[in-house]
């Protein structure tokens, strides 16, 4: 099935490092699921689904 998907136009196979980032394998914030950076200060960055990590506020997936 993977070979069939890779034969589609515009589809690229992800390397192992990128797969881990997409799957949250190496992500240490937002419970390992990752998040979208938002421009809030550290004092505003709190609540359910919001986390401060490495100098940036994230809205978790």
């Amino acid at each position: 099935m993977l070979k069939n998907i890779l034969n589609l136009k515009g589809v690229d196979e992800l390397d192992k490092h990128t797969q881990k980032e997409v799957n949250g394998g190496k992500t240490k914030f937002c419970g390992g699921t990752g998040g979208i950076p938002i421009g809030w200060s550290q004092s505003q960055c709190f609540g359910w689904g919001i986390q401060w990590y490495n100098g940036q506020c994230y809205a978790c997936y």
Side-chain angles (χ1 to χ4, degrees):
M1 177 144 174
L2 178 60
K3 289 184 181 188
N4 291 339
I5 293 170
L6 290 174
N7 289 334
L8 296 174
K9 182 179 178 182
V11 175
D12 293 323
E13 186 172 4
L14 301 176
D15 62 12
K16 292 291 183 184
H17 176 73
T18 306
Q19 287 177 26
K20 287 180 180 180
E21 284 183 0
V22 170
N23 293 330
K26 294 288 183 181
T27 308
K28 296 180 181 171
F29 63 99
C30 292
T33 61
I36 300 170
I38 52 179
W40 295 359
S41 67
Q42 188 173 8
S43 62
Q44 295 173 311
C45 188
F46 63 90
W48 189 85
I50 306 292
Q51 186 174 356
W52 185 263
Y53 176 74
N54 202 22
Q56 176 69 45
C57 189
Y58 290 89
C60 301
Y61 298 137

